[in-house]
Amino acid sequence: MSASSQIADRPARLDLTIDRAAPIPIHHQLAHQIESAISRGELASGDQLETEIELSRRLDIGRVTVRRALRDLAALGIVVRRRGVGTYVTQARDESRFASITEFDKDELDAEIRSGEIRSGTVVLDYHRVTCALDAPEDFPLAVRGGLIEIRRLHTARGRPHSLMAHWVPAVICPPPADLERRGLREALRSRGVHPCLVRERIAARAASDSEAAHLDITAGSPLLCVRRTSIDRSGRVVMVGESVYSPDAYAYHVSVV
């Protein structure tokens, strides 16, 4: 093997820093920096990352912390982990990632709803305790998955179906169904002292299923915008995972890149 080949095979060494005074958990800081480096093109598909041991020693953090960061990236499909071989970048689909992102016209829409200019409502379609850990999102630790509440709701705005929302929340902090129809899930969680400080978001498109089409009053197979959010509190605990689908003509994103 040539010297150039050996150099090419070495794991990529990224410029990573850890802010121990920040309220963001260290494993999220690490995952975000690696994800950002990939989005900037510093790493390409197939590039190998440093090992858990190398990252742990260089950044002076525990291997468990590094492992959690790499596991989060693998769950998002950004990297693939091969036992005994290493961690590699894998971008099977072209995705745009942003440092700062705001929700769909939400400030404007909420203001109009509060003023009475828009008729809006939420109907709870399903509210039940998850009985099988395999039915719960992998974002939650295995020990928590059997103690989750799964919530499915239909949101309407301007007199028409707007979105279908599915959320998973630990039962110990989950609001009752009546609260969800009156003031929304996030506001109800805040009233219980649950304040996420970090939200990881993934946006993709897919075709509507028969059930989704019936609820949203569209044709099966029509394009949908799918948004998946994982909300994390200051302790690093996942407090909510949500998947919402929207008709493209009912949803727009305003993005700020910083």
Side-chain angles (χ1 to χ4, degrees):
M1 182 181 294
S2 67
S4 60
S5 297
Q6 290 177 342
I7 292 174
D9 290 339
R10 290 175 184 169
R13 184 183 175 94
L14 298 173
D15 183 13
L16 304 170
T17 58
I18 298 299
D19 183 357
R20 301 179 190 279
I24 306 300
I26 291 176
H27 70 281
H28 288 304
Q29 293 185 43
L30 178 57
H32 175 70
Q33 290 182 64
I34 295 174
E35 182 180 3
S36 297
I38 294 171
S39 69
R40 292 193 300 267
E42 295 179 22
L43 293 174
S45 179
D47 283 351
Q48 184 179 5
L49 274 64
E50 292 175 84
T51 67
E52 289 180 9
I53 294 177
E54 290 169 335
L55 287 170
S56 174
R57 289 175 177 171
R58 182 159 72 88
L59 300 175
D60 192 24
I61 57 179
R63 284 189 63 183
V64 172
T65 300
V66 176
R67 189 176 301 124
R68 289 186 66 183
L70 297 179
R71 184 184 63 193
D72 288 350
L73 293 173
L76 292 171
I78 297 171
V79 302
V80 59
R81 306 192 69 193
R82 299 171 183 168
R83 184 179 295 275
V85 179
T87 303
Y88 294 82
V89 177
T90 171
Q91 288 281 36
R93 65 193 304 172
D94 186 21
E95 298 185 2
S96 295
R97 304 182 184 278
F98 304 96
S100 176
I101 190 164
T102 59
E103 289 188 21
F104 67 98
D105 295 330
K106 192 175 187 311
D107 292 338
E108 177 183 351
L109 181 61
D110 284 350
E112 291 175 336
I113 289 172
R114 287 194 298 270
S115 69
E117 296 177 18
I118 294 179
R119 290 185 297 110
S120 174
T122 301
V123 177
V124 178
L125 304 174
D126 190 19
Y127 184 104
H128 70 272
R129 192 181 187 100
V130 175
T131 57
C132 177
L134 296 177
D135 295 332
E138 294 183 355
D139 308 69
F140 291 99
L142 186 60
V144 176
R145 294 180 201 170
L148 297 175
I149 300 295
E150 181 176 336
I151 309 162
R152 296 189 179 273
R153 296 173 296 157
L154 174 66
H155 181 69
T156 60
R158 299 186 176 97
R160 54 165 292 187
H162 180 272
S163 58
L164 273 174
M165 301 170 287
H167 288 88
W168 292 264
V169 182
V172 293
I173 61 172
C174 190
D179 274 5
L180 304 181
E181 293 189 357
R182 185 173 65 251
R183 56 179 174 178
L185 180 53
R186 280 172 297 183
E187 184 179 348
L189 285 173
R190 284 195 294 268
S191 72
R192 291 170 170 254
V194 180
H195 300 282
C197 69
L198 178 68
V199 177
R200 298 183 66 86
E201 191 166 89
R202 183 176 185 273
I203 309 168
R206 62 176 173 81
S209 66
D210 291 341
S211 175
E212 291 167 338
H215 282 300
L216 294 173
D217 194 22
I218 57 178
T219 304
S222 298
L224 290 178
L225 194 63
C226 181
V227 181
R228 178 185 175 85
R229 299 185 181 97
T230 301
S231 301
I232 300 153
D233 68 10
R234 291 182 182 273
S235 69
R237 177 185 59 161
V238 176
V239 294
M240 179 171 61
V241 173
E243 291 183 352
S244 302
V245 292
Y246 308 83
S247 298
D249 61 346
Y251 193 98
Y253 256 89
H254 291 189
V255 176
S256 299
V257 179
V258 294

